[in-house]
Amino acid sequence: MPATLACAGYRLALDRPRLMGVVNLSSDSFSGDGCAGDSSRAIERGLRLVEEGADILDLGAESSRPGASPVSAEVELSRLLPVLEGLLPCGVPISVDTAKPEVMRAAGAAGAAMINDIQALEAPGAMAAAASATAALCLMHMQGTPATMQRQPYYRDVVQEVFDYLSRRVAAALAAGVARERLVVDPGFGFGKTLAHNLLLLRHLDRFVALGVPLLVGISRKSMLGAITGRPVGERLAASVAAAILAAQRGAAILRVHDVAATRDALKVLDAVNMEDK
Ligand code: HH2
């Protein structure tokens, strides 16, 4: 397993779990903190997350919440580029959450250090667009599309099926000429999965380490936490932090979170406990 992730001009050391802070630029993000076309507010949020300890920032201009409607590449880019440009000097790699090859190309040219694709580079032209750059690539599993994914997710063996899918996408990326040190995989919590599926994936997360590339996990504020705690999205901080720590203990290398400061503190406790073992 690579000990660092190659992200364009950055090399991200993965000797301990890293935090990816979410900056949502859409108007309908499920998490309730979308910066909807307000670039200055988004840049301010990004800078605050870096101050709080984010190791990467993830900019998303198209909501992937269940039932969300897609936006055009033009709209995505008009939301992304000013924020990406404003955050480039912040000192951490900037990831762009997109599935569109034209957005990948433009974001890469503008300095994005990671492409985070919830469709695992399945869109026509996406693999070629991503392979031709030097940004890190996150390949995520999803069953269906955001518009339909929560209607009736079905698996015979969710852990094995997600594992096999990610294994095929890693092989496809390597065959397209992507260096292994640029790859990250993500089981895609909440993307075409019931609560039972999500819990099985989290319980057996350590199995994904065998894929030989770092694991990224995003559970922060998601509806599975609402289903477990009965709390609305604005009150899921404690549950989100607990889920992040459980994922880190099972091998997650990068945690995608909305609440960086709180998760950072919890990771410090985990680090301190793990140090005692060494
Ligand atoms: N989850 C969301 C979006 N992008 N990318 C990865 N790799 N993993 C995830 O779990 C993931 C993701 C959904 O969360 P959010 O961006 O906060 O909401 P929305 O898509 O509604 O803006």
Side-chain angles (χ1 to χ4, degrees):
M1 166 98 56
T4 59
L5 180 66
C7 316
Y10 291 90
R11 290 196 82 86
L12 189 68
L14 299 175
D15 50 337
R16 60 183 172 83
R18 297 288 165 178
L19 288 177
M20 171 185 259
V22 179
V23 181
N24 276 315
L25 311 177
S26 60
S27 47
D28 51 353
S29 167
F30 88 92
S31 60
D33 62 359
C35 293
D38 185 342
S39 303
S40 333
R41 197 154 74 86
I43 293 168
E44 253 170 56
R45 174 170 163 80
L47 294 175
R48 197 182 69 241
L49 294 183
V50 172
E51 242 169 65
E52 290 178 5
D55 302 292
I56 318 175
L57 293 177
D58 189 38
L59 311 185
E62 177 177 54
S63 176
S64 52
R65 71 186 296 166
S69 27
V71 300
S72 68
E74 291 69 38
V75 170
E76 252 190 272
L77 283 169
S78 69
R79 292 174 179 171
L80 281 169
L81 292 179
V83 181
L84 175 59
E85 214 167 274
L87 286 172
L88 277 181
C90 77
V92 305
I94 311 291
S95 160
V96 167
D97 191 336
T98 189
K100 297 188 184 75
E102 52 271 60
V103 176
M104 291 174 191
R105 283 211 173 82
M114 183 190 276
I115 300 298
N116 172 24
D117 185 358
I118 63 168
Q119 292 181 27
L121 304 175
E122 295 238 44
M127 184 62 85
S132 67
T134 56
L137 305 173
C138 179
L139 307 171
M140 197 197 79
H141 175 274
M142 167 165 53
Q143 187 178 85
T145 65
T148 60
M149 64 190 181
Q150 289 309 108
R151 280 189 199 153
Q152 240 176 355
Y154 174 79
Y155 303 83
R156 242 174 295 168
D157 178 343
V158 65
V159 178
Q160 192 60 46
E161 286 170 52
V162 173
F163 183 97
D164 290 344
Y165 173 82
L166 293 175
S167 173
R168 287 195 300 276
R169 296 314 292 159
V170 168
L174 295 175
V178 177
R180 181 176 284 274
E181 60 177 10
R182 287 174 60 201
L183 291 173
V184 176
V185 291
D186 181 343
F189 286 90
F191 286 88
K193 282 123 190 153
T194 63
L195 173 60
H197 296 141
N198 288 318
L199 289 173
L200 276 166
L201 286 169
L202 183 52
R203 193 172 304 139
H204 298 291
L205 197 67
D206 53 348
R207 281 176 52 188
F208 291 85
V209 173
L211 287 166
V213 296
L215 259 181
L216 189 150
V217 165
I219 305 182
S220 177
R221 298 188 189 173
K222 283 192 177 166
S223 67
M224 63 181 278
L225 303 176
I228 295 168
T229 61
R231 294 193 181 277
V233 70
E235 296 173 16
R236 295 180 191 158
L237 174 61
S240 297
V241 171
I245 295 304
L246 289 167
Q249 281 186 312
R250 288 163 169 76
I254 302 176
L255 303 162
R256 184 181 182 278
V257 302
H258 300 88
D259 303 287
V260 169
T263 318
R264 171 59 72 214
D265 277 359
L267 279 178
K268 281 183 182 165
V269 176
L270 181 65
D271 273 359
V273 172
N274 287 341
M275 279 302 218
E276 285 293 299
D277 288 344
K278 289 177 186 156

